[in-house]
Amino acid sequence: MKRNVLIIGAGGVAHVVAHKCAQNNAVLGDIHIASRTLSKCQAIIDSVHEKGSLQQDRHLQAHALDAMDIDATKFLIRATHSQIVINVGSPFLNMSVLAACIETGAAYLDTAIHEDPAKVCETPPWYANYEWKRRDACKDARVTAVLGVGFDPGVVNAYARYALDNCFDSVDSIDIIDINAGSHGRYFATNFDPEINFREFTSTVWSWENNAWKSNAMFEHRQDWDMPVTGKVTTYLTGHDELHSMSQNLGVPNIRFWMSFGEHYINVFNVLKNLGLLSEQPVRTARGQEVVPLEVVKAVLPDPASLAPAYTGKTVIGDLIKGIKGGRTQEVLVYNVCDHRACYEEVGSQAISYTAGVPAVAAAMLIANGTWDIGEMANVEELDPAPFIALMNRMGLVTRIRDAQGDRVLDPQQEAPGKTAPARLVNY
Amino acid sequence: MKRNVLIIGAGGVAHVVAHKCAQNNAVLGDIHIASRTLSKCQAIIDSVHEKGSLQQDRHLQAHALDAMDIDATKFLIRATHSQIVINVGSPFLNMSVLAACIETGAAYLDTAIHEDPAKVCETPPWYANYEWKRRDACKDARVTAVLGVGFDPGVVNAYARYALDNCFDSVDSIDIIDINAGSHGRYFATNFDPEINFREFTSTVWSWENNAWKSNAMFEHRQDWDMPVTGKVTTYLTGHDELHSMSQNLGVPNIRFWMSFGEHYINVFNVLKNLGLLSEQPVRTARGQEVVPLEVVKAVLPDPASLAPAYTGKTVIGDLIKGIKGGRTQEVLVYNVCDHRACYEEVGSQAISYTAGVPAVAAAMLIANGTWDIGEMANVEELDPAPFIALMNRMGLVTRIRDAQGDRVLDPQQEAPGKTAPARLVNY
C-alpha cells in the first residue's frame, strides 16, 4: 500500500491529474503539486477547491521545484512523504524525476516518453534510448515505474493487451486511431504544448510493419476510417511513443498509429515546417539575437489550457485490431469517447488533457492498492489491463468495444469472468 | 554640378546602385559605400571589380557606418567629399540620413518612405508624417532631396506625370500595376527585406478614391489585368508609398496600387499573419526571451540576394491611366519590362533590386549635371519626367507605352519634341 502523491508539472494534464487525485484522496492520501512556477500550481489548487473535487479534507499543497535538479526533487519527495510521483511535466524532465524516484523508492509514473531538447525523433525503439537503460536500476531498488500511462500511450497499450488476451488466437495488426472531432473555435491551436506537439511531426514517422521499423514521412500515408460517433474520418500515419514499446512487447507484426488532422491544420503545419519555423535549432536574427524558432511559434499560439472553455465536440481514441479467432478472421475496435464540454464542466479542462490525466491517476490508484505495484519498470501493455479498464470505467473514461457482437461498454469482469491474471503479464 | 556619391546600405538595391554608379563614374565621380557591416560593402565592391563595371579608374571604397548616428554620417559625407547621398539602407534610417545631408549640404536621394520600427501603416499621407516636415529645412539649406526615386515609388510617379502632361486633357484614374512574373524556385521568399516586405501588407491598405483616402483590407480587392508579356494576371489592391505623394501632387481623383500575388504567397502570408508571426511587437517565450516574431521570420527566410542566380522570368511594372483627350476617353499604359536573368548577368542582381536601383542612379546623374538639382525637397512626380525617362532608356530600364497607336518604346524627345519643361514642375 502506497500513499501520498507528488504531481510534477502544472500544465493541462497536471490540472486533470490534480482534480482526479483529489476526487480519490481517500485512497491516494496527501497531494502535492510542484513546478517551476508556483503560481501555476496554486491556480490548479484553487480550481480543485472551486470545483469541490476533494473527496476528503487532506493536504493539497503547491511547491516551487526545478525538477531537473534531482537532489531538490528527492528532498521534496521525502519532505512530503510522497510514495507515488506522477510526472506530467515537460518530457525533458523524465530521466531526472525517475532518478529521484529510484533514489527515494517512490513509485514513478509518466505519460510521455523522455526527450532531449536538442534532438528530434531518435533511433527506434525510443524507450531504449533513455527509459529502458534504467530497468535494472528500478528492479534493484524495487521501484515501480510505469511508463507512458496517459491515453496514448497508456490506455491504448492496455486495450491492445486486453484484445490479444481475450479476443484473438493470433493478431496480425493493431491500428491505433486518435480522432479529435472537437472544435476550439480559434484560427489555429495545438491541444497540448505546441513545442512537444510539433516535435511529434517534424521528423521521421516510424511505424512497425512486418516485424520491422519502417520510416515514413509525415502526411505521406492517409487512411480513412469508419469510426463510432464521427463516421468516416481522415487520419495520417504518425509516429508515436507506444509503437516503441508495443512493437517490442506484444509480438504483433504490424502496429501503426493514425491521427486525425484537418486540411487547415496540415496547411499551417506545412507552411511553418517548410519555412523552418518548427526547428528546435537556434537561428540568429539581424539584430544578433539567438532564437529557437519553435519557441517563438509556441509563444504566439494560444495557451492550450485557454481553449477549454469554448471547446465542443468529442475525442474518439482506440485500437482497431485484426487477427484470427477460432480459425476466422475478425476485427475488434476497443475505444473511448470523451466529450470536451463534459470534461470542462467536471474539472475545467478539455478532453485531450482529460484523457491523458485520468489514466495516470487510475494507475496511481492501482499502485496505491498494490495491484500494479510490481517493484520494477513496465510499459502499460506489460501489466494486467482488466483492473485498469474497470477502474477507468468508474472514473469517467468508459471503454467500449465494437466487434461482430455489436458495440457496447467493455466491462472486463463481465466479458471474461473466469479470467485471472498476474500483476505483471508475461511478454509474448 | 555635383560630384562624388555616398551610397548608404549594402543590400540588394545598394548592390545595383553601386554597379550603376560605377558604370557612370565619369559623371558621378568617387563612389563610397557605407553600412553597419563593412564586409557587405566590400562584397559589393568585389562584385563591381569582377564585373568590370567601373567606367573610369576612380575611388570606390567601403566604410563601416551606423547611419542612425547623424554626426558619424556628416563626418563621412565631409571626409569623402560626397555631394550626393543615395540612401538605400533600411527605411528606418531615412530621417537620420536626411538630417546629415541638410547639415552638410549634400543632395539626398532615397527609394522608400521613412518608417518607425515600432509603427506599421501610419495615418495618410505618409510623407507628411516625416519627410515633408523637413521641406522648409531643405529649402532653407538649398538642399536637393528627391524622395522615393526607385521604380515604385519613383519611375511610376514620373510615368504618371509624363502621361498627364502629354497624353490627356484630364485624367480620371491612375492604376499602378506591379507584376513579378518571375520564379525563384524556392518554397517561399520575399524579393526584398522580409521585414519591410511584410510590413507593407500587415495593416490597412490605403487607396485614393474620389479624391479621398479609403481604407481597405489586404487581399480584399482583386483585379485581373491584361498586361504585356504576361497576358492576364491577377493583382490585389495594396498600400504603397507613391499614393501618398501622387494623391497630393497630381489632382487625379483615383490612384490605386495593384500588386501580383500567387495563391501560394497569399496562403503563406495569411498563415503567418493570422498566427501573429508577422507582428513587430515583441512576445515573451517560455524561456523568458523577448523576441519580435517578424525578426525571426526574417531570419528563417532566404536572403533575397541569394535568389538572384536562379531567378527567371520578368517583371512588368507600369501605370494604366484613364482620362479624356480631345473630348474622347482613352487609356494609356506606360510601363517597363525587366528580365531577372539579364539583370543577374549584368550586375549580379534580380530584377526587383535592379528596377529599384537604376532609377536612383539616374536621378543622381540628373542632380550631378544640374537638371534635377533644384535645391529643395521633391517627390518624383514634381520633377520633369522627360530627361529621367530618356536617361533610363540608355541605362537598361527601357520605358514603353501602349495606347491607341500601339505598343512602342517611349522616347520623350520624339513623342513630344517641341516640349520644354522647368526642372521643377508646377503642381496641379
Side-chain angles (χ1 to χ4, degrees), chain B residues 248-307:
Chain B
Q248 311 303 301
N249 288 330
L250 294 181
V252 170
N254 299 290
I255 312 179
R256 295 166 291 241
F257 185 92
W258 304 89
M259 192 173 275
S260 67
F261 292 95
E263 284 178 20
H264 176 63
Y265 183 101
I266 295 171
N267 179 44
V268 171
F269 175 85
N270 280 334
V271 166
L272 294 176
K273 179 163 187 283
N274 285 326
L275 292 180
L277 286 166
L278 300 186
S279 172
E280 76 289 354
Q281 300 296 326
V283 296
R284 181 181 288 273
T285 69
R287 276 166 217 244
Q289 210 178 6
E290 290 269 347
V291 185
V292 173
L294 182 52
E295 292 179 5
V296 179
V297 170
K298 174 176 170 170
V300 299
L301 289 183
D303 175 358
S306 73
L307 308 174

Side-chain angles (χ1 to χ4, degrees), chain A residues 4-7 13-33 41 44-61 86 346-347 354 357-358 360-362 364-365 395:
Chain A
N4 306 329
V5 175
L6 173 61
I7 301 165
V13 180
H15 180 102
V16 175
V17 166
H19 273 273
K20 284 292 173 182
C21 285
Q23 290 177 7
N24 294 282
N25 72 350
V27 172
L28 292 172
D30 295 341
I31 303 164
H32 298 271
I33 309 175
C41 303
I44 290 175
I45 289 175
D46 293 346
S47 167
V48 168
H49 289 304
E50 268 165 41
K51 292 272 183 192
S53 291
L54 281 169
Q55 184 184 21
Q56 294 188 343
D57 182 20
R58 296 189 65 111
H59 256 64
L60 172 63
Q61 204 177 330
I86 302 180
E346 184 193 332
V347 300
Y354 191 88
V358 172
V361 179
M365 291 170 71
M395 288 176 71

Side-chain angles (χ1 to χ4, degrees), chain B residues 68 84 239 260 283 331 384 391:
Chain B
M68 293 298 281
I84 301 172
S260 67
V283 296
E331 184 181 305
D384 184 3
L391 179 54

Side-chain angles (χ1 to χ4, degrees), chain B residues 39-363:
Chain B
S39 59
K40 291 177 76 180
C41 303
Q42 194 55 53
I44 291 175
I45 289 176
D46 294 346
S47 166
V48 168
H49 288 305
E50 269 166 39
K51 292 272 184 192
S53 291
L54 281 170
Q55 184 184 21
Q56 293 188 345
D57 182 20
R58 297 189 64 108
H59 256 64
L60 172 63
Q61 204 177 330
H63 305 267
L65 173 71
D66 173 5
M68 293 298 281
D69 181 341
I70 297 172
D71 285 336
T73 307
K74 283 161 58 182
F75 180 85
L76 188 61
I77 291 170
R78 289 183 177 129
T80 56
H81 306 287
S82 297
Q83 293 182 300
I84 301 172
V85 174
I86 303 180
N87 173 26
V88 283
S90 153
F92 307 144
L93 302 173
N94 290 13
M95 287 303 96
S96 303
V97 176
L98 177 60
C101 288
I102 291 170
E103 293 178 40
T104 56
Y108 172 87
L109 300 167
D110 67 32
T111 62
I113 209 156
H114 181 77
E115 292 190 42
D116 179 328
K119 296 178 185 169
V120 165
C121 201
E122 302 187 61
T123 315
W126 292 340
Y127 285 106
N129 296 318
Y130 301 101
E131 285 83 350
W132 291 347
K133 289 182 175 163
R134 312 307 302 275
R135 256 186 193 148
D136 290 345
C138 284
K139 197 162 198 166
D140 292 347
R142 304 262 330 122
V143 161
T144 297
V146 181
L147 305 176
V149 63
F151 205 98
D152 45 340
V155 176
V156 297
N157 308 44
Y159 286 175
R161 185 64 192 236
Y162 179 86
L164 261 66
D165 291 353
N166 296 284
C167 311
F168 292 92
D169 299 324
S170 74
V171 166
D172 177 63
S173 67
I174 302 170
D175 288 294
I176 303 163
I177 303 166
D178 182 334
I179 312 297
N180 178 12
S183 168
H184 49 59
R186 308 286 285 267
Y187 173 73
F188 184 83
T190 57
N191 293 303
F192 55 100
D193 183 344
E195 199 175 349
I196 305 304
N197 187 259
F198 286 129
R199 285 168 64 102
E200 280 190 14
F201 313 135
T202 44
S203 189
T204 310
V205 169
W206 291 109
S207 62
W208 185 250
E209 314 263 356
N210 294 317
N211 288 307
W213 292 110
K214 179 158 180 280
S215 74
N216 312 271
M218 192 65 208
F219 301 121
E220 183 183 348
H221 297 287
R222 174 187 161 135
Q223 177 82 47
D224 291 346
W225 306 95
D226 178 30
M227 293 292 282
V229 179
T230 64
K232 185 185 155 189
V233 63
T234 297
T235 66
Y236 293 85
L237 191 71
T238 309
H240 227 242
D241 301 5
E242 52 269 47
L243 306 181
H244 297 261
S245 66
M246 289 166 66
S247 61
Q248 311 303 301
N249 288 330
L250 294 181
V252 170
N254 299 290
I255 312 179
R256 295 166 291 241
F257 185 92
W258 304 89
M259 192 173 275
S260 67
F261 292 95
E263 284 178 20
H264 176 63
Y265 183 101
I266 295 171
N267 179 44
V268 171
F269 175 85
N270 280 334
V271 166
L272 294 176
K273 179 163 187 283
N274 285 326
L275 292 180
L277 286 166
L278 300 186
S279 172
E280 76 289 354
Q281 300 296 326
V283 296
R284 181 181 288 273
T285 69
R287 276 166 217 244
Q289 210 178 6
E290 290 269 347
V291 185
V292 173
L294 182 52
E295 292 179 5
V296 179
V297 170
K298 174 176 170 170
V300 299
L301 289 183
D303 175 358
S306 73
L307 308 174
Y311 229 126
T312 57
K314 293 177 164 65
T315 61
V316 184
I317 318 175
D319 296 15
L320 183 71
I321 301 144
K322 294 181 184 173
I324 307 284
K325 176 78 171 180
R328 293 169 134 189
T329 61
Q330 71 161 350
E331 184 181 305
V332 173
L333 177 71
V334 188
Y335 71 99
N336 165 265
V337 176
C338 193
D339 183 82
H340 287 289
R341 184 157 287 169
C343 296
Y344 185 68
E345 283 166 8
E346 184 194 332
V347 301
S349 297
Q350 29 87 333
I352 315 284
S353 301
Y354 190 89
T355 53
V358 172
V361 179

Side-chain angles (χ1 to χ4, degrees), chain A residues 23-355:
Chain A
Q23 290 177 7
N24 294 282
N25 72 350
V27 172
L28 292 172
D30 295 341
I31 303 164
H32 298 271
I33 309 175
S35 109
R36 275 184 306 184
T37 312
L38 188 65
S39 61
K40 291 176 76 179
C41 303
Q42 194 55 53
I44 290 175
I45 289 175
D46 293 346
S47 167
V48 168
H49 289 304
E50 268 165 41
K51 292 272 183 192
S53 291
L54 281 169
Q55 184 184 21
Q56 294 188 343
D57 182 20
R58 296 189 65 111
H59 256 64
L60 172 63
Q61 204 177 330
H63 305 266
L65 173 70
D66 173 5
M68 293 297 281
D69 180 342
I70 297 172
D71 284 336
T73 307
K74 282 162 60 183
F75 180 86
L76 188 60
I77 290 170
R78 288 182 177 131
T80 57
H81 306 287
S82 297
Q83 293 182 301
I84 301 172
V85 174
I86 302 180
N87 172 27
V88 283
S90 153
F92 307 144
L93 302 173
N94 290 13
M95 287 303 96
S96 302
V97 177
L98 178 59
C101 289
I102 291 171
E103 293 177 40
T104 56
Y108 172 88
L109 300 168
D110 66 32
T111 62
I113 208 156
H114 181 77
E115 292 190 41
D116 180 329
K119 296 178 186 171
V120 166
C121 201
E122 303 187 60
T123 315
W126 293 340
Y127 285 106
N129 296 317
Y130 301 99
E131 285 83 350
W132 290 347
K133 289 181 176 162
R134 312 307 301 277
R135 257 187 190 148
D136 289 347
C138 285
K139 196 161 198 166
D140 293 347
R142 302 267 327 127
V143 162
T144 298
V146 181
L147 304 177
V149 63
F151 205 98
D152 45 341
V155 176
V156 297
N157 308 42
Y159 286 176
R161 185 66 193 235
Y162 178 86
L164 262 66
D165 290 351
N166 296 284
C167 312
F168 292 92
D169 298 324
S170 74
V171 167
D172 177 63
S173 67
I174 302 170
D175 288 294
I176 303 162
I177 302 167
D178 181 335
I179 312 297
N180 179 11
S183 169
H184 49 59
R186 307 288 284 267
Y187 174 74
F188 184 84
T190 56
N191 293 305
F192 55 98
D193 184 345
E195 198 175 349
I196 305 304
N197 187 259
F198 286 130
R199 285 169 64 102
E200 280 191 13
F201 312 136
T202 44
S203 190
T204 310
V205 169
W206 291 109
S207 63
W208 185 250
E209 312 264 356
N210 293 317
N211 288 307
W213 291 110
K214 178 157 180 280
S215 75
N216 311 271
M218 192 64 207
F219 301 122
E220 183 183 348
H221 298 286
R222 175 186 161 135
Q223 177 82 47
D224 290 346
W225 305 95
D226 177 30
M227 293 292 281
V229 179
T230 65
K232 185 184 155 190
V233 65
T234 297
T235 66
Y236 293 85
L237 190 71
T238 309
H240 227 242
D241 301 5
E242 52 269 48
L243 307 181
H244 296 262
S245 66
M246 288 166 67
S247 60
Q248 311 303 303
N249 288 330
L250 294 182
V252 171
N254 300 290
I255 311 180
R256 296 165 290 242
F257 185 91
W258 304 90
M259 192 173 275
S260 67
F261 293 95
E263 284 180 18
H264 176 63
Y265 184 101
I266 295 172
N267 179 44
V268 171
F269 175 85
N270 280 335
V271 166
L272 294 176
K273 177 162 188 284
N274 286 326
L275 292 179
L277 286 165
L278 300 185
S279 172
E280 77 290 354
Q281 299 297 326
V283 296
R284 181 182 286 272
T285 70
R287 276 165 216 246
Q289 213 178 4
E290 290 270 347
V291 184
V292 173
L294 181 53
E295 292 179 5
V296 179
V297 170
K298 174 176 171 172
V300 299
L301 290 183
D303 175 359
S306 74
L307 307 174
Y311 229 124
T312 57
K314 293 177 164 65
T315 61
V316 184
I317 318 175
D319 297 16
L320 183 70
I321 301 143
K322 294 181 185 172
I324 306 283
K325 176 78 171 179
R328 293 167 134 192
T329 61
Q330 72 161 349
E331 183 180 307
V332 172
L333 177 71
V334 187
Y335 71 100
N336 165 265
V337 176
C338 192
D339 183 83
H340 287 288
R341 184 156 286 168
C343 296
Y344 185 67
E345 284 166 8
E346 184 193 332
V347 300
S349 299
Q350 29 87 335
I352 316 284
S353 301
Y354 191 88
T355 53

